[in-house]
Each structure stands twice: as structure tokens, then as C-alpha cells.
Amino acid sequence: MPIATPEVYAQMLDAAKAGKFAYPAINVSSSQTLNAALQGFTEAGSDGIIQISTGGAEYASGPTVKDKVTGSVALAQYAHEVAKGYPVTVALHTDHCPKNNLDSFVRPLLAISTERVQNGGLPLFQSHMWDGSAVELEENLSIAEELLAKCAAANVILEIEVGVVGGEEDGVSHEINEKLYTTPGDGLRTVEVLGSGEKGRYLTALTFGNVHGVYKPGAVKLRPEVLRDIQKEVGDKIGKADPFDLVFHGGSGSTLEEIQAAVDYGVIKMNIDTDTQYAFSRPVAAHMFTNYDGVLKVDGEVGSKKAYDPRAWGKAAESGMAARIVEACEHLRSQGTSLSQKA
């Protein structure tokens, strides 16, 4: 099945952790960007994760409708159908959800999956993220505990964030300062509240200087060793090596060495949004500038339908984004690891 079942999703995550690679998690907001993600994963021979943010979900529902649940369900249903044509497996995930959006995003989607599972079906999404970075740790973990129980009942994996990611994404912003580094104490408290798998599986975004936004390589002061130290200290405490399934947020501006060090320390999912947005839009700009007299009806002329047909520039946009996803798979070492192709 091209869309991962809960069991296959678990296999994907286990394979990444054992093989020291990570899956690119690609944000999509339309059928075109979703197609591009599937194309990119296929060209790389990699399974992957397709995710939808609150803003992406609103956009997908229609810019004048702005209904996060409608947009999420529509993209998920679309993915379930079109993914059948691709020889890789993908998991569907919802990205950053702050506290004020839980009741209009994650909780309703969890309710849909719960009903599907109770009726003998599969969850609509394979994982959801609760972004508690804007609240104190204890409230963050209290909400996470409640959501983890609901996720486990629906056979869904929860993703949490312990720490603060700098910069801004979908209206959630944080200053770039020392708060961007999660501590071993934070990691220990997380395990005390959420367990280490017995209460349900969860992914953890520990922060090590990450920032959302656009940055040149080397501009971001990442400390991947923070992940190593937390994994070791918490692992020694509970008697379990590398206890966290880690997520890398805010990767723009990271060097390849930093990315791969993070993967070495247990990152199995890396969010990619800013770079793929540019990779999608750049070919469109080239098409418009190169074919301006065909795209526009200049000086009373009729233009060229072949130039302004959305399919003309849409194909270029999808190919550009797919190429960036292939590059991400190479950097994260997931290229050629697809469970579907190895089966």
C-alpha cells in the first residue's frame, strides 16, 4: 500500500533508526506540491513523509474558505488515491500545531481517524504534531500526555517539540537565543511523563539551535552534540540506548555536516519546507520571464496558450521541487532505502 499502514510506518521509522538515515518530511499545500513530493521520493528510491501545516491546510481548502480540517482531509484523500501510481511508500503527517489550533486541527483529525479505526479501517493520517514550544514544559507535556493516549487509541504516532525553534513559521515565532537548546533535564522529564514507548510511540523534536526561515549555510549556530548528550543521559537513566526517535525542525541554513551529525545521533525525520517552496517557484519565474510575451497579451496581441497554460509551468515547478527532494534524500541517506523496492 503506497500510503503506509501504522505497521509499515513503524517499520519505516525503525529502519531509519537502525540504518542511520532520516526521511525528508515535505510540506505540501496543493495537489501539485503533493505530486512533486511523490515524484521526488520515487526518483530517489526513498520512502518519505508528506506533511500539512495549519496554513497549508487552510490554503488547500480554498483561500476564501480557510478550513484546516477540510483542507487536510482533501489532501489526505487525494494522496491516498494518487500515491497508488508510485512505487514508494509515504506516511501522512500534520505539521506544527500550536495550542490555539488544537481544537480546529489536530483533535478533529484525530476524531476522524478514531472513527475509521473503530469501524475496522485505517487512520487517515499516520502521525500528528503537537507544538508546545510556546508554553512551559509542564503544560507542554500535560497536553502531550492527553494527545498521546488518543493517538495510541487511533493507531497514530504523536510528534512533540521539547524546546524552542527560532524564527517564524505559520504565525508561530520565537527569538533566536539560548532557549533554542533543549537540556538533558527536559529530556528526562519528557520520558517521566510520556514513557519510552509503553504509553504509545512518539517522535521528539529536541532543539539544538534550529530556526525556521531562510538562511545561508553556516548562518545558523547548530549544536548537534546536544542530541547526543540527551540521548546518552536519558538512555543511561532508563537503560535504553538512543531512547528518542528524533525530528529535525528548522533545517534551512544547516551545513551537510551538521545535518548528518544530527542523523548520526538519532534524527529519523527532517522537515523541509522553505527550500522546496523555492525549488517549486524558481522554474515558474524562469518560465514567466522567458515567455513573457506568450504569457501576457502584450500590446494587444493574443499571447500563447501553450505558454500560459498552467500545465506548462506547473510541470516545471513540480520537477524543480522533485529534484530538491532527491537532494534531501541524498543528504539524509534515505536514497535507495525504500521498503517497497526492497520487498
Side-chain angles (χ1 to χ4, degrees):
M1 182 175 288
I3 301 296
T5 63
E7 293 75 21
V8 169
Y9 190 27
Q11 290 175 23
M12 286 170 56
L13 300 177
D14 290 342
K17 196 165 188 177
K20 296 291 185 183
F21 65 87
Y23 295 109
I26 306 300
N27 281 72
V28 303
S29 56
S30 66
S31 60
Q32 284 188 297
T33 50
L34 199 153
N35 288 343
L38 290 169
Q39 179 184 338
F41 287 131
T42 297
E43 291 176 3
S46 170
D47 298 326
I49 298 168
I50 291 174
Q51 60 188 25
I52 305 166
S53 68
T54 55
E58 285 188 347
Y59 178 79
S61 74
T64 61
V65 176
K66 294 185 177 182
D67 185 281
K68 293 183 280 293
V69 173
T70 297
S72 299
V73 172
L75 284 176
Q77 296 285 19
Y78 180 82
H80 276 269
E81 191 60 36
V82 298
K84 296 174 184 176
Y86 295 84
V88 293
T89 302
V90 294
L92 302 179
H93 174 80
T94 60
D95 198 12
H96 292 269
C97 181
K99 183 179 177 181
N100 65 307
N101 282 322
L102 283 174
D103 288 338
S104 61
F105 191 47
V106 165
R107 288 191 176 113
L109 291 173
L110 261 178
I112 291 171
S113 286
T114 299
E115 183 177 0
R116 287 166 62 105
V117 170
Q118 289 174 345
N119 291 330
L122 295 170
L124 184 61
F125 284 86
Q126 287 67 60
S127 52
H128 294 291
M129 183 195 175
W130 147 237
D131 183 353
S133 61
V135 301
E136 293 299 322
L137 180 63
E138 290 305 315
E139 183 181 4
N140 181 353
L141 295 178
S142 176
I143 293 173
E145 186 176 27
E146 170 239 325
L147 292 173
L148 183 60
K150 292 181 178 179
C151 283
N155 220 350
V156 169
I157 292 173
L158 178 68
E159 179 182 327
I160 65 170
E161 184 165 271
V162 180
V164 175
V165 174
E168 188 273 336
E169 182 176 56
D170 271 346
V172 179
S173 61
H174 297 290
E175 293 182 8
I176 299 174
N177 54 36
E178 283 300 312
K179 292 183 179 180
L180 305 187
Y181 304 94
T182 310
T183 67
D186 296 335
L188 286 167
R189 184 59 184 150
T190 299
V191 170
E192 287 174 1
V193 176
L194 303 183
S196 58
E198 68 277 6
K199 294 184 179 182
R201 188 166 190 171
Y202 61 94
L203 308 176
T204 309
L206 301 176
T207 57
F208 52 104
N210 321 58
V211 291
H212 290 132
V214 184
Y215 300 89
K216 292 182 178 180
V220 178
K221 299 185 184 302
L222 291 177
R223 301 178 193 164
E225 64 274 10
V226 167
L227 303 179
R228 177 198 63 202
D229 295 344
I230 294 174
Q231 289 276 45
K232 184 177 188 312
E233 187 162 333
V234 176
D236 289 346
K237 181 79 172 181
I238 68 173
K240 182 178 180 180
D242 295 332
F244 291 110
D245 294 332
L246 297 178
V247 180
F248 188 160
H249 290 176
S252 296
S254 307
T255 66
L256 179 57
E257 291 75 18
E258 290 167 336
I259 291 171
Q260 294 190 339
V263 173
D264 287 338
Y265 300 144
V267 164
I268 58 175
K269 172 181 181 281
M270 180 175 176
N271 292 8
I272 302 175
D273 187 16
T274 302
D275 289 356
T276 48
Q277 287 178 348
Y278 180 78
F280 184 88
S281 297
R282 180 62 180 82
V284 179
H287 177 89
M288 298 302 173
F289 283 121
T290 303
N291 300 285
Y292 75 94
D293 54 347
V295 173
L296 301 176
K297 297 181 179 182
V298 179
D299 295 331
E301 295 298 322
V302 297
S304 170
K305 184 179 184 299
K306 290 183 178 180
Y308 60 72
D309 185 334
R311 290 170 293 185
W313 51 263
K315 290 176 185 176
E318 290 182 29
S319 293
M321 181 171 167
R324 180 61 183 85
I325 292 169
V326 171
E327 180 182 321
C329 292
E330 293 171 351
H331 290 173
L332 296 173
R333 308 178 189 140
S334 71
Q335 187 177 34
T337 65
S338 173
L339 298 179
S340 302
Q341 297 181 7
K342 288 185 175 182

